[in-house]
Amino acid sequence: MPISLILPHRATPGHFLNSRGFGLVEVVVAIGITVMVLIGSITAARVALRRSSEQVNQIRATFLVEEGIEAMRVLRDNGWSANIAGLATSTNLYLVYDGLSWSATTTLQANSEGLFERIFVLSDVFRGADDDITQSGGTWDPETKLARMDVSWRGRRGTSTVNASTYLANLFAD
């Protein structure tokens, strides 16, 4: 049986140059891929941060709308005749909190953050023959108002607004 010897591979004179060049190409490709992944990750992080900032403002505005609706209910509960009945309808109105109580004014009020503007508008309510609220016609109901609360702010995409509406009625007949 013949015996064969496995001899180490003998390199040709250009072999080391070719393998070194191939290693350099691999390094350049790896660096390029790494740079593209890093740029993509940074871009995705920036977009996510911007969107989360927009979401924070959306949530804060929603809370301000809810607070405004509750403030309107407090005004109603503290006296319909004194706080609601005398307010102009179809006019921009603003809420003021002096540390003790809420009031309404026609003067623009800056909030503590300077970012949001909260406006409310009261509208007259009309009732049909069945005493249900109607969108057109009917009889004016001086004991009910439609209150619309808007909170707006300027963002990167322009002005955004969150709003809500509710009916206020003279529950305590004062």
Side-chain angles (χ1 to χ4, degrees):
M1 177 159 159
I3 299 176
S4 62
L5 294 172
I6 299 176
L7 298 174
H9 176 68
R10 291 181 64 186
T12 58
H15 176 43
F16 291 113
L17 291 175
N18 288 340
S19 67
R20 283 189 191 142
F22 186 69
L24 183 60
V25 170
E26 287 177 335
V27 169
V28 169
V29 169
I31 289 173
I33 290 172
T34 303
V35 167
M36 288 191 316
V37 167
L38 286 174
I39 289 173
S41 298
I42 290 170
T43 302
R46 288 182 64 202
V47 167
L49 187 61
R50 187 176 326 122
R51 296 223 176 160
S52 74
S53 173
E54 292 171 5
Q55 286 293 76
V56 166
N57 286 339
Q58 178 90 18
I59 291 167
R60 289 167 63 194
T62 301
F63 285 143
L64 287 170
V65 164
E66 290 176 14
E67 178 189 54
I69 294 291
E70 288 302 317
M72 293 300 301
R73 290 181 179 137
V74 167
L75 286 172
R76 175 207 56 203
D77 294 349
N78 288 339
W80 178 267
S81 298
N83 296 315
I84 302 293
L87 294 175
T89 57
S90 303
T91 302
N92 287 347
L93 299 166
Y94 307 92
L95 291 169
V96 179
Y97 185 70
D98 63 8
L100 296 174
S101 63
W102 288 98
S103 61
T105 181
T106 56
T107 306
L108 176 63
Q109 299 297 306
N111 63 26
S112 60
E113 297 145 7
L115 176 65
F116 300 98
E117 179 178 276
R118 179 168 50 193
I119 298 171
F120 74 93
V121 176
L122 294 176
S123 300
D124 288 327
V125 172
F126 295 86
R127 295 191 180 268
D130 55 0
D131 206 32
D132 288 338
I133 293 174
T134 181
Q135 298 301 319
S136 62
T139 305
W140 174 56
D141 180 0
E143 302 296 317
T144 307
K145 301 281 184 187
L146 173 63
R148 178 184 167 102
M149 188 69 56
D150 293 325
V151 173
S152 59
W153 71 98
R154 293 213 29 92
R156 291 178 182 232
R157 297 182 188 171
T159 302
S160 298
T161 303
V162 174
N163 56 53
S165 298
T166 189
Y167 288 99
L168 300 173
N170 186 3
L171 298 177
F172 305 111
D174 65 349

